[in-house]
Amino acid sequence: MRFRSLLTAAVLAGGMAVAPPAYAAGPAVRISKIYYDSPGSPDFGANSSLNGEYVQLKNVTKKAVSLKGWTVRDDTRRSDHVYTFGTFTLGAGKTVTLRTGKGKNSATTRYWGRSGGTFAYIWNQVKDTAYLRNTSGTLVDSCSYNSARYAYKVC
């Protein structure tokens, strides 16, 4: 409201009106959900269990976004907990699911390709953070959870 008063005063005084400051737009792609505790118990690292944990990314714009070179990682500093997108374009308004295990990549699902038992899981079952970075390494979005009460977090 203060800006509107200043603008009105400037116009009445014959001055030049100045546009309000532009606000930074949010990220084009956002982390929308993390399913960090795959269904079933116990978790022994079977491919079906690994693929039961995933992170979803949503393109919230009206334009397709190339994710080539973008990364998703968790809060650990382990280099094997980084997924790098190859050639992949996320359509306008579309969601892609990044599953931890192995499978055939498609337009809606990508696979981290992890295997090897209980140490193959990416997302901790109680507390973790997902980070999405673009090709230059700039943080685009993150989503944290801190609860064993639920199996997933809507970001």
Side-chain angles (χ1 to χ4, degrees):
M1 288 302 181
R2 178 172 163 74
F3 176 78
R4 202 175 284 171
S5 298
L6 291 173
L7 179 61
T8 303
V11 170
L12 292 175
M16 184 187 298
V18 178
Y23 294 97
V29 179
R30 294 189 179 138
I31 299 169
S32 58
K33 184 178 185 181
I34 306 172
Y35 204 110
Y36 54 87
D37 188 6
S38 59
S41 180
D43 295 331
F44 292 118
N47 193 55
S48 60
S49 181
L50 288 169
N51 283 331
E53 72 168 25
Y54 57 83
V55 61
Q56 288 184 324
L57 308 177
K58 181 170 180 67
N59 179 349
V60 296
T61 71
K62 294 180 180 181
K63 293 183 179 181
V65 176
S66 171
L67 297 184
K68 183 177 181 179
W70 288 41
T71 60
V72 173
R73 74 172 310 138
D74 76 337
D75 204 25
T76 68
R77 300 296 178 243
R78 293 176 48 172
S79 62
D80 64 339
H81 281 210
V82 178
Y83 176 85
T84 303
F85 280 91
T87 301
F88 180 75
T89 299
L90 185 57
K94 300 295 183 184
T95 298
V96 63
T97 300
L98 174 57
R99 297 187 180 276
T100 299
K102 294 181 177 184
K104 185 176 179 182
N105 289 334
S106 71
T108 58
T109 306
R110 308 308 276 183
Y111 292 89
W112 208 298
R114 309 256 314 158
S115 63
T118 57
F119 295 107
Y121 293 96
I122 297 294
W123 308 108
N124 296 327
Q125 291 186 356
V126 177
K127 177 182 178 183
D128 211 339
T129 302
Y131 298 98
L132 175 65
R133 295 184 184 274
N134 64 18
T135 55
S136 64
T138 303
L139 181 65
V140 173
D141 197 18
S142 65
C143 179
S144 299
Y145 58 89
N146 187 7
S147 174
R149 185 174 179 185
Y150 304 104
Y152 64 90
K153 165 78 185 256
V154 175
C155 306

